[in-house]
Amino acid sequence: MANTGTRFLSLDVFRGMTVCFMIIVNTPGSGSDSFGPLNHAQWNGFTPTDLVFPSFLFVVGNAMSFAMQKYHALGTGAVLTKVAKRTALIFLLGYLMYWFPFFKLSPSGDILPFPFSDTRVWGVLQRIAVCYGIASLLVYFFSFRTVAALSVLFLVGYWGLLLIFGDTLNPLTPTGNAVLRLDRFMLGEAHLYHSHGLIFDPEGLLSTLPAIVNVIIGYYAGKFVQHKGKGYESIAKLLLTGALFLFVAYAWDLVFPINKKLWTSSFVLLTTGLDLLIMGALIYAVEVREWNWNNWTRFFVIPGKNPLFIYLLSEVLAIILYMLPVRPGISAFDAINTALFQSVAPGPIGSLLFALCFMLLCWAAGWWLDRRRIYIRV
């Protein structure tokens, strides 16, 4: 049995890769459409970009597998307090990030109020917070078999809820799904995500239920690797389990389409299956074969040590650039894209170059923190 205190470089690299790719797909340069794989699927279907957020949840589960070892030495009251505080803080950070900078600018540059009534309540960090909180409690209080049974119930039950409470004829459409209906009833349209004339929150209340399973599978994958070690047997089992999840996902897709915005159960199995394959491949490359030419793993370990801070930095910095007016109707974000990227490499290439440079800027902040051994934990 492997030492449970061992750190796995491959898991740290996986976490850092997820953060870097998340920044790239979240901040494409303006002035041109991105390359197709760097856009989310419009509705049903799947692109590489759709893997980013579920992978973030998966690595949250990986991190939990290390933290839970310490939790078992604490009393139940202390564990509940820690989980509740972390859940509330991550949720609050996510909500304040969407509200930031707490005012709006009119096209003419006038400062306008940004009231609570216009804020988006749900979102990426909010979903991470709730999924982390519920998954933590499940794996702490229940056995593996019970948690596995509950996970199956979440996935199958969610499918049933969408069919029962969605539109009778079209329960899985953008306007007829039960996720939107519940969000409208609980939060109101003003608090939901608005994009391209459509009011629908891809991080809705109901669709958080299957997303919990992404964290749970990430947790047990991390626990499995710690228990079994870095050998070929561990890698083979991760790859086989990932392949099995992919098979079930595509079979289920025939009746319950893979859909990131609805976070369908087939989408959960597809993304966790891919994450298991990536995890197995990284363990083989980094831990077994020790392929670390020119210390390339360090590039990803750096953002992996401060993932939440670097993600928040990327979002807040993008908001500031969008808010700063260079001239009427032109933000600093658009001006930088036009002057430095679209003028040199017009089209999707310029958009990608901006995203890469923006990611490297955030990475540099992580490098500065790492040099000073500053690791911001929530």
Side-chain angles (χ1 to χ4, degrees), residues 29 33 87 95 110 121 129 138 150 153 177 205 211 223 231 248 265 270 288 292 321 341:
D33 292 333
T87 299
Y95 175 71
D110 297 328
V121 173
L138 290 177
L150 288 172
L153 179 62
N177 63 83
L205 289 165
K223 191 174 180 181
V248 176
S265 305
L270 174 65
V288 176
N292 193 13
L321 290 176
F341 296 94

Side-chain angles (χ1 to χ4, degrees), residues 49-366:
T49 296
D50 292 329
L51 182 62
V52 177
F53 186 18
S55 295
F56 208 111
L57 291 174
F58 185 87
V59 299
V60 166
N62 280 173
M64 277 171 47
S65 68
F66 290 92
M68 278 295 169
Q69 299 176 51
K70 304 173 185 176
Y71 282 16
H72 286 293
L74 305 173
T76 299
V79 171
L80 291 176
T81 301
K82 279 183 172 291
V83 171
K85 284 184 176 179
R86 181 169 292 177
T87 299
L89 185 54
I90 296 174
F91 191 99
L92 181 62
L93 287 172
Y95 175 71
L96 292 177
M97 182 185 75
Y98 286 127
W99 201 353
F100 179 85
F102 315 111
F103 63 85
K104 296 179 180 180
L105 289 178
S106 69
S108 61
D110 297 328
I111 296 178
L112 303 175
F114 191 174
F116 167 80
S117 58
D118 292 341
T119 57
R120 181 186 177 195
V121 173
W122 219 241
V124 171
L125 287 182
Q126 294 91 314
R127 170 162 289 183
I128 291 174
V130 174
C131 289
Y132 156 78
I134 295 176
S136 294
L137 297 179
L138 290 177
V139 300
Y140 179 78
F141 284 108
F142 300 112
S143 67
F144 168 76
R145 288 188 176 183
T146 301
V147 176
L150 288 172
S151 298
V152 173
L153 179 62
F154 290 167
L155 296 180
V156 177
Y158 178 63
W159 183 25
L161 290 173
L162 290 184
L163 295 178
I164 293 170
F165 294 103
D167 183 81
T168 305
L169 298 177
N170 299 294
L172 303 178
T173 59
T175 57
N177 63 83
V179 175
L180 177 59
R181 290 185 171 186
L182 180 62
D183 286 343
R184 279 175 171 167
F185 176 76
M186 296 294 294
L187 302 173
E189 289 189 352
H191 290 298
L192 303 182
Y193 185 66
H194 295 234
S195 177
H196 301 96
L198 179 65
I199 301 174
F200 176 79
D201 206 314
E203 283 79 48
L205 289 165
L206 185 59
S207 57
T208 299
L209 183 66
I212 297 168
V213 181
N214 288 83
V215 179
I216 290 172
I217 293 175
Y219 170 81
Y220 283 113
K223 191 174 180 181
F224 170 78
V225 172
Q226 292 175 60
H227 179 73
K228 293 294 185 180
K230 311 169 184 178
Y232 286 102
E233 181 185 357
S234 300
I235 296 170
K237 288 183 177 179
L238 287 172
L239 297 179
L240 287 172
T241 304
L244 175 62
F245 281 8
L246 292 182
F247 174 79
V248 176
Y250 281 112
W252 208 348
D253 174 61
L254 299 174
V255 290
F256 192 21
I258 293 168
N259 185 306
K260 189 265 181 187
K261 291 182 172 64
L262 284 177
W263 211 280
T264 54
S265 305
S266 55
F267 175 77
V268 172
L269 292 178
L270 174 65
T271 53
T272 51
L274 290 172
D275 286 332
L276 289 171
L277 295 179
I278 295 170
M279 186 174 173
L282 284 173
I283 292 174
Y284 175 77
V286 176
E287 312 284 2
V288 176
R289 300 302 301 270
E290 297 183 347
W291 290 338
N292 193 13
W293 306 291
N294 298 319
N295 202 22
W296 68 269
T297 56
R298 177 169 165 74
F299 179 89
F300 295 108
V301 169
I302 286 174
K305 290 180 177 179
N306 278 296
L308 183 60
F309 172 80
I310 293 177
Y311 170 71
L312 281 169
L313 173 66
S314 70
E315 292 292 313
V316 170
L317 181 57
I319 292 170
I320 292 173
L321 290 176
Y322 273 117
M323 291 286 293
L324 289 176
V326 174
R327 54 183 183 274
I330 303 296
S331 68
F333 192 95
D334 295 329
I336 292 172
N337 272 281
T338 301
L340 299 181
F341 296 94
Q342 288 301 318
S343 61
V344 175
I349 294 178
S351 175
L352 176 59
L353 288 175
F354 174 86
L356 289 170
C357 290
F358 190 86
M359 180 274 291
L360 290 174
L361 177 63
C362 297
W363 179 92

